[in-house]
């Protein structure tokens, strides 16, 4: 009986002893020291919100193309007997200067024949008028004399024949002039398809050229860019007007700049890209309006365009890196804590953003990255010179 009681109580005593030791250790464990320091502020770089008058700038790009571009087409047939030295790819076109000359012997003979027909028709008119005068005198006492008896139809026929002969003479002169293939503007040749000795027919294409007086650049514009320009859809500038545009491209290893004007906007939005296109112009790109380094803004060149848009008075400006996703801005409050604020962005580019609402001049915006930003978190503001301007 005694052994049975011992076997039952022994495990219970072991368990009770273990619990007692555990309670004793927990009661006598040392307490960790409590620190009274607050969370360390996060250091950030900041910049002030500036208030000043600005001119909004729109950045876009496009390809230079000529305003006038055409095929050179022969208007008469014949053998080419002369070719200008400028009739080659890249050749300079002078207004009225012959690029090609077609053999004109047949056309000169046709002109002489037309002149003879005119002279003959004039004699016929004089003869008809004389006959009519005689008939009128003979029939002056006949009140009911017919027009045929008075030779009026004969006079009308003679005059009609004279007009036809004069028209034939004018056509012969035109055909003779058209043996010299010319253009009425300054330009450049981009292709040639004929040479001396070749026989060509009327309507044959002998080359391709463009006018060098004006080049155009078609520029895509997003809705925000259109707002920065302050122009309505379908805008068309008056002669000599339009918004200033600075074109730039890297040519011959150097950045070149040219100055033109935005003269009009399309009246419809492109359904494929959902953008609006504007047209900028540059006059005399190969002679008067070359770059500062003497480089022309050549046709086919891909250029970047900076358009000067509307002016803004007392605008709020912040660095581009201070504008966060969703048009939010991080600011340093007077208490040295983070203030996450929503703003209205009027214009932005790679360097700055123009804010229309949500900021005041003198406030400081955070320009550096913040990991896990939380409204009201402690921050330590540093300006561009690593000088502390606000602390927690």
């Amino acid at each position: 009986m005694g052994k049975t009681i011992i076997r039952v109580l022994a495990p219970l005593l072991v368990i009770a002893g273990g619990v007692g030791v555990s309670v004793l250790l927990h009661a006598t464990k040392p307490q960790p020291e409590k620190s009274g320091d607050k969370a360390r502020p996060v250091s950030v770089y900041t910049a002030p919100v500036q208030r000043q008058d600005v001119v909004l700038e729109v950045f876009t790009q496009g390809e230079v193309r000529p305003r006038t571009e055409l095929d050179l087409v022969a208007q008469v047939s014949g053998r080419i007997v002369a070719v200008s030295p400028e009739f080659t790819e890249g050749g300079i076109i002078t207004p009225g200067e012959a690029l090609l000359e077609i053999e004109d012997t047949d056309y000169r003979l046709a002109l002489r024949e037309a002149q003879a027909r005119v002279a003959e028709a004039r004699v016929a008119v004089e003869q008809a008028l004389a006959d009519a005068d005689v008939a009128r005198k003979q029939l002056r006492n006949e009140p009911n004399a017919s027009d045929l008896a008075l030779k009026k139809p004969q006079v009308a026929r003679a005059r009609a024949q004279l007009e036809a002969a004069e028209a034939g003479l004018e056509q012969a002169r035109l055909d003779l002039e058209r043996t010299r293939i010319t253009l009425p503007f300054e330009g450049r040749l981009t292709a040639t398809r004929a040479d001396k000795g070749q026989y060509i027919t009327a309507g044959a294409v002998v080359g391709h050229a463009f006018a060098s007086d004006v080049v155009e650049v078609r520029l895509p514009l997003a809705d925000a860019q259109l707002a920065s320009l302050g122009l309505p859809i379908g805008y068309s500038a008056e002669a000599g007007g339009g918004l200033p545009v600075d074109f730039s491209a890297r040519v011959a290893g150097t950045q070149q700049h040219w100055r033109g004007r935005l003269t009009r906007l399309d009246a419809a939005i492109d359904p494929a890209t959902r953008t609006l296109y504007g047209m900028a112009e540059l006059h005399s790109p190969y002679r008067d309006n070359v770059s500062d380094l003497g480089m022309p803004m050549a046709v086919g060149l891909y250029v970047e365009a900076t358009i000067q848009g509307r002016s803004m008075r007392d605008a709020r400006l912040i660095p581009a890196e201070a504008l966060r996703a969703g048009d939010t801005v991080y600011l340093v409050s007077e208490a040295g804590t983070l203030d996450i604020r929503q703003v209205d962005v009027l214009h932005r580019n790679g360097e700055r953003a123009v804010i229309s609402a949500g900021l005041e001049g003198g406030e400081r915006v955070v320009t550096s990255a913040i990991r896990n930003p939380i409204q009201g978190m402690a921050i330590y503001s540093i300006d561009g010179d690593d000088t502390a301007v606000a602390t927690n």
Side-chain angles (χ1 to χ4, degrees):
M1 183 66 179
K3 293 181 179 180
T4 302
I5 295 173
I6 292 173
R7 284 197 300 270
V8 172
L9 293 179
L12 296 176
L13 292 175
V14 171
I15 294 173
V19 171
V21 171
S22 175
V23 171
L24 179 61
L25 292 175
H26 181 74
T28 58
K29 72 177 181 178
Q31 295 295 326
E33 297 182 1
K34 294 184 179 180
S35 175
D37 296 339
K38 298 181 179 179
R40 184 177 180 180
V42 177
S43 299
V44 295
Y45 286 99
T46 63
V49 178
Q50 300 179 351
R51 299 180 64 171
Q52 64 184 57
D53 299 341
V54 296
V55 176
L56 304 183
E57 293 182 339
V58 172
F59 297 93
T60 181
Q61 59 281 320
E63 184 180 358
V64 180
R65 65 185 190 185
R67 172 186 286 181
T68 304
E69 188 175 14
L70 48 81
D71 288 327
L72 283 171
V73 180
Q75 293 180 279
V76 295
S77 301
R79 184 172 60 90
I80 299 174
V81 295
V83 176
S84 169
E86 294 295 337
F87 189 71
T88 183
E89 288 83 353
I92 299 174
I93 299 172
T94 302
E97 181 177 332
L99 298 171
L100 295 174
E101 293 185 21
I102 299 173
E103 187 176 15
D104 61 0
T105 303
D106 294 339
Y107 298 100
R108 289 186 181 279
L109 292 175
L111 177 61
R112 292 174 63 183
E113 290 179 358
Q115 290 171 339
R117 284 192 295 270
V118 170
E120 183 181 359
R122 285 174 179 168
V123 172
V125 170
E126 294 297 331
Q127 183 64 51
L129 290 173
D131 293 344
D133 185 60
V134 171
R136 186 173 60 255
K137 290 178 181 179
Q138 291 176 347
L139 299 174
R140 62 179 176 273
N141 295 325
E142 294 291 335
N144 296 324
S146 66
D147 291 343
L148 184 62
L150 294 172
K151 307 294 184 180
K152 291 183 179 180
Q154 291 84 337
V155 173
R157 181 180 62 184
R159 285 175 173 169
Q161 291 174 344
L162 176 59
E163 290 180 1
E166 289 175 343
L169 177 60
E170 185 65 25
Q171 183 64 54
R173 285 174 177 165
L174 284 175
D175 290 343
L176 181 59
E177 291 177 1
R178 288 167 177 171
T179 59
R180 300 174 70 254
I181 299 179
T182 63
L183 285 174
F185 52 75
E186 292 184 357
R188 297 296 179 99
L189 285 163
T190 57
T192 59
R193 303 173 188 173
D195 209 342
K196 186 176 180 179
Q198 180 178 349
Y199 183 88
I200 57 176
T201 59
V205 177
V206 297
H208 190 80
F210 65 86
S212 59
D213 56 342
V214 180
V215 292
E216 299 177 330
V217 183
R218 189 164 168 81
L219 302 171
L221 300 168
D223 184 71
Q225 294 174 316
L226 183 62
S228 298
L229 295 179
L231 299 177
I233 294 176
Y235 162 80
S236 180
E238 298 179 355
L243 299 181
V245 182
D246 179 77
F247 298 107
S248 63
R250 191 169 184 83
V251 184
T254 306
Q255 195 72 12
Q256 311 282 344
H257 291 269
W258 304 270
R259 294 169 183 83
R261 287 191 174 274
L262 180 72
T263 57
R264 60 186 181 274
L265 298 178
D266 285 358
I269 296 175
D270 189 335
T273 60
R274 308 311 303 169
T275 57
L276 185 74
Y277 283 88
M279 189 66 71
E281 296 180 353
L282 180 70
H283 290 259
S284 189
Y286 287 86
R287 186 176 59 186
D288 299 329
N289 287 331
V290 295
S291 70
D292 296 337
L293 301 177
M295 187 68 66
M297 195 169 84
V299 170
L301 191 65
Y302 196 79
V303 296
E304 296 181 352
T306 303
I307 309 172
Q308 294 185 17
R310 60 193 179 104
S311 300
M312 292 290 299
R313 295 185 59 83
D314 196 27
R316 278 75 166 175
L317 307 180
I318 61 173
E321 57 270 20
L323 188 62
R324 315 288 171 160
D327 292 345
T328 58
V329 173
Y330 299 159
L331 296 99
V332 180
S333 68
E334 295 181 355
T337 58
L338 180 64
D339 182 13
I340 303 176
R341 191 180 302 176
Q342 191 81 22
V343 296
D344 294 334
V345 182
L346 180 63
H347 175 81
R348 73 183 76 185
N349 56 35
E351 298 178 356
R352 66 184 183 183
V354 181
I355 308 300
S356 59
L359 293 177
E360 295 297 333
E363 292 184 305
R364 301 195 69 85
V365 293
V366 178
T367 58
S368 57
I370 301 180
R371 180 179 297 179
N372 301 324
I374 301 174
Q375 178 75 21
M377 66 183 292
I379 57 177
Y380 183 83
S381 176
I382 305 174
D383 65 6
D385 297 328
D386 294 345
T387 303
V389 296
T391 56
N392 182 38

